[in-house]
Amino acid sequence: MSARGPAGAGPAAIQLSRIMRPDDANIAGNVHGGTILKMIEEAGAIISTRHCNSQSGEHCVAALARVERTDFLSPMCIGEVAHVSAEITYTSKHSVEVQVNVLSENILTGAKRVTNRATLWYVPLSLKNVDKVLEVPPIQYAWKELEEDGKKRYEEQKLERLVTKQRNGDIIFPVFNPEPYTVGYSQSSLIHLVGPSDCTLHGFVHGGVTMKLMDEVAGIVAARHCKTNIVTASVDAINFHEKIKKGCVITISGRMTFTSNKSMEIEVFVDADPFVDEPKERYRAVSAFFTYVSLSKEGKPVPVPQLVVETEDEKRRFEDGKGRYLQTKAKRQVQMQPLTQQ
């Protein structure tokens, strides 16, 4: 356990560590991006659930509602130790913001490097009634500015979730005999029956399990498009719209929306069919955008074949993806300016 972070009198940060094994590898030999996402979510779930039960009252479990943009800064190798640290940085009346950092350690040399940073939002659900959202115990802040910045982030993600929910009518249809480099050529789906090993003790799917499946589908789309080794570069806001219960059949679908010279954006949906206990219509449970880069056999970035857009919807999604790409690029340049001025 590490000491308290910048939130002052908030809960102590936690750290999870484990060595990366061969079964954690992707086809390029590095640790699978989905494995890292799953570890990030586990750390976030632990610290937020612990905090939400820190005061006397109705017991609850913290459910993942949203993952903000997550950057994969450096690949992690098999045999290295992953150190995942999580800290609560803001609380609203019904939600918790958790900041997570991932550090890889070469236990032979002692060398360490940051591989991932992520921000996650959780809501506390009553153990007696999982449809009931409970209040979150407030944390104390070392400076008033920390609380104000946190409130700003909360309002921004709340608005983005609303915009994303309005897009959730989109459906990915199969395309017959598609041409290479078109959207239909690389789009992919995976069907999974949710079993006990996928779920919490309360019968709902772990957010980390869902994210790993989404990363697998996005990786298939990227590999089909460029036919090279690929690696996750970032995840742009995973939104969890509804819970997924044990016994559901989930369909994870992915399609390419945008390509730059060196990256690919893939939109991924998770739809759930709850036909075991309470039959009802299929619903959209999760949505996200993943960004991948194409790698040579030597592990160096190589140019990405440009996406061929055919329909008006595909052209619109391409322009939307281009906007996200340029926005991210501009933010990265702003973040780099203080470093170049030192």
Side-chain angles (χ1 to χ4, degrees), residues 19 56 70 97 106 150 166 227 258 297 300 333:
I19 194 165
S56 59
T70 304
E97 180 192 54
N106 185 320
Q166 292 171 349
K227 294 182 170 59
F258 170 76
K297 292 181 179 179
K300 303 294 184 182
Q333 289 173 344

Side-chain angles (χ1 to χ4, degrees), residues 131 204 245-246 248 273-281 283:
D131 293 321
F204 293 95
K245 292 184 67 174
K246 179 177 65 179
C248 283
D273 286 303
F275 67 90
V276 175
D277 294 327
E278 43 182 308
K280 67 176 184 179
E281 291 184 2
Y283 61 89

Side-chain angles (χ1 to χ4, degrees), residues 199-215:
C199 298
T200 66
L201 295 174
H202 316 292
F204 293 95
V205 177
H206 282 287
V209 170
T210 308
M211 289 194 291
K212 187 173 182 181
L213 290 169
M214 295 174 78
D215 186 63

Side-chain angles (χ1 to χ4, degrees), residues 255-287:
R255 65 184 171 200
M256 193 159 296
T257 51
F258 170 76
T259 53
S260 67
N261 289 333
K262 293 184 179 179
S263 66
M264 301 162 274
E265 182 190 73
I266 294 113
E267 185 175 24
V268 183
F269 300 135
V270 179
D271 295 318
D273 286 303
F275 67 90
V276 175
D277 294 327
E278 43 182 308
K280 67 176 184 179
E281 291 184 2
R282 170 186 287 209
Y283 61 89
R284 178 66 42 83
V286 193
S287 58

Side-chain angles (χ1 to χ4, degrees), residues 162-198:
L162 183 62
V163 172
T164 304
K165 207 162 188 178
Q166 292 171 349
R167 284 203 311 264
N168 275 348
D170 284 0
I171 299 173
I172 299 179
F173 294 102
V175 178
F176 299 99
N177 300 318
E179 293 293 324
Y181 307 127
T182 60
V183 175
Y185 185 78
S186 58
Q187 70 181 33
S188 304
S189 295
L190 182 155
I191 298 175
H192 179 77
L193 174 63
V194 176
S197 62
D198 300 318

Side-chain angles (χ1 to χ4, degrees), residues 59-74:
H59 287 304
C60 63
V61 60
L64 183 62
R66 176 178 167 91
V67 181
E68 298 288 357
R69 180 178 174 84
T70 304
D71 289 307
F72 288 72
L73 306 173
S74 174

